[in-house]
Amino acid sequence: MKKLGILAIALLAQVSFAQTNRFVYQVTSKPDITNKNDIKTENAYLDISAEKSMFYSENRIKRDSVMQANRQSGGARGFNREQMDGLRTNINYSIEKNKKDQKTFYKERIGRDQYSYEEDRPLNWKILSETTKIGDYKVQKAETDFGGRKWTAWFTTDLPYQDGPYKFNGLPGLVVKAEDSTGDYSFDLMKNYKISDFPEMATFGNVIKVKRTDYVKQQEKFKADPMSFLGSQRGGGGNSSPRSGGGNQNPADMRKRMEERAKEEAKRNSNPIELK
């Protein structure tokens, strides 16, 4: 009986360890450089298991679910425009960190396809002696320069994780708060709970693996001429748009709408989280 009891405890510990832990961060940003009063706030998830972690927008996974359902129905369900507008996100990327080889992968959609690259810049942290308390956690201060911004992070060793939101990792604890020196971007841990497994992330178009520098070039090409970029992507010519809604449309009108949308998107994201 004693052996059975020990075995049961061991199995329970294994199951608990195998579970995925979800950390919910409030992400605050000022993505429009011309209007710093336009402050965007939304939630993002950092899901952590023994093998990997995933960081992505709460709204993104909800939008993907709606779009996937519409796609599977052949467009019969249609889109509730008000619902979709309510699920807009400024976090259009997802980030996966592999625990075994300590690699970080960034994925974001450009046009029809998903582009993925491996982060090639290490985060070099300066850990300071300053400590405080944020919520229930005792935290310690650390600083780093990354992507053209100076970041301050507060991490805790009260939890058994060495991870954080966005691309932040490499500290001896979990990042509870991170903020850049200009106050344009911040990540604040709000709560955490266990989930059974990682959610299914919808993928639209091809997944194209590139180097980070090539990803930046592709992003700039799309901003400069979205219709030509769409025409150059695999599996499609320039006469269709992933958001066109079908039907016969004048190519010139489509080009104009795409160019206007690209300009609006560029303005809305004129103050990106990574400046270089």
Side-chain angles (χ1 to χ4, degrees):
M1 288 297 290
K2 186 176 181 181
K3 288 183 179 179
L4 286 173
I6 293 172
L7 180 61
I9 292 171
L11 287 171
L12 181 61
Q14 266 192 332
V15 170
S16 297
F17 186 70
Q19 282 184 317
T20 299
N21 290 270
R22 170 167 291 171
F23 294 87
V24 182
Y25 287 84
Q26 183 182 75
V27 184
T28 304
S29 62
K30 301 174 184 177
D32 186 346
I33 194 70
T34 65
N35 185 8
K36 289 294 191 75
N37 292 321
D38 183 19
I39 302 172
K40 306 295 186 183
T41 302
E42 63 180 294
N43 287 344
Y45 297 150
L46 175 65
D47 295 344
I48 304 176
S49 72
E51 295 80 25
K52 68 176 183 178
S53 71
M54 288 284 295
F55 181 75
Y56 55 95
S57 165
E58 178 183 70
N59 280 352
R60 181 266 174 91
I61 199 73
K62 290 179 179 178
R63 282 176 65 90
D64 279 359
S65 178
V66 172
M67 292 176 72
Q68 185 73 10
N70 180 265
R71 192 176 183 183
Q72 289 174 350
S73 69
R77 295 186 180 185
F79 287 124
N80 181 321
R81 185 55 56 189
E82 187 176 339
Q83 178 192 24
M84 294 299 284
D85 286 345
L87 294 176
R88 284 188 178 278
T89 178
N90 286 290
I91 304 171
N92 295 300
Y93 55 81
S94 62
I95 295 171
E96 179 176 331
K97 303 188 191 90
N98 189 310
K99 299 297 183 67
K100 186 176 181 180
D101 55 20
Q102 298 296 303
K103 291 184 177 181
T104 298
F105 296 93
Y106 179 99
K107 184 186 291 184
E108 185 172 3
R109 180 176 173 174
I110 306 178
R112 292 186 181 88
D113 297 327
Q114 300 274 348
Y115 285 76
S116 174
Y117 68 80
E118 179 184 340
E119 178 54 65
D120 55 2
R121 300 163 296 176
L123 282 95
N124 299 309
W125 293 99
K126 180 182 180 181
I127 298 177
L128 307 175
S129 60
E130 186 178 346
T131 62
T132 187
K133 195 169 184 181
I134 298 178
D136 296 328
Y137 305 114
K138 180 182 178 182
V139 295
Q140 187 170 351
K141 190 176 184 180
E143 295 177 342
T144 190
D145 291 308
F146 183 76
R149 293 183 184 273
K150 183 177 179 62
W151 291 92
T152 296
W154 295 89
F155 68 93
T156 183
T157 56
D158 294 347
L159 296 165
Y161 305 104
Q162 297 181 0
D163 209 330
Y166 194 59
K167 297 176 181 178
F168 303 127
N169 64 358
L171 285 167
L174 179 75
V175 175
V176 173
K177 180 179 178 65
E179 184 177 28
D180 80 303
S181 59
T182 63
D184 288 348
Y185 286 86
S186 66
F187 301 83
D188 295 271
L189 179 61
M190 306 301 290
K191 59 182 178 180
N192 68 87
Y193 52 89
K194 293 185 183 298
I195 58 175
S196 58
D197 202 355
F198 291 89
E200 188 70 28
M201 303 287 281
T203 300
F204 301 95
N206 302 294
V207 177
I208 303 173
K209 295 183 179 180
V210 294
K211 292 183 178 179
R212 182 181 60 83
T213 51
D214 291 332
Y215 163 81
V216 173
K217 290 177 183 176
Q218 294 300 313
Q219 197 177 48
E220 291 303 316
K221 283 182 181 179
F222 177 70
K223 289 178 182 178
D225 191 343
M227 287 301 290
S228 294
F229 185 89
L230 287 169
S232 70
Q233 288 186 315
R234 303 180 205 172
N239 292 332
S240 63
S241 165
R243 297 181 186 176
S244 63
N248 296 322
Q249 299 191 36
N250 186 303
D253 290 342
M254 286 180 61
R255 175 180 288 276
K256 184 178 180 181
R257 282 197 298 272
M258 284 297 297
E259 288 173 350
E260 288 174 352
R261 185 181 295 144
K263 288 178 181 178
E264 289 172 5
E265 191 73 17
K267 183 177 183 297
R268 285 198 301 266
N269 295 282
S270 54
N271 185 30
I273 189 169
E274 292 186 21
L275 300 173
K276 62 180 182 179

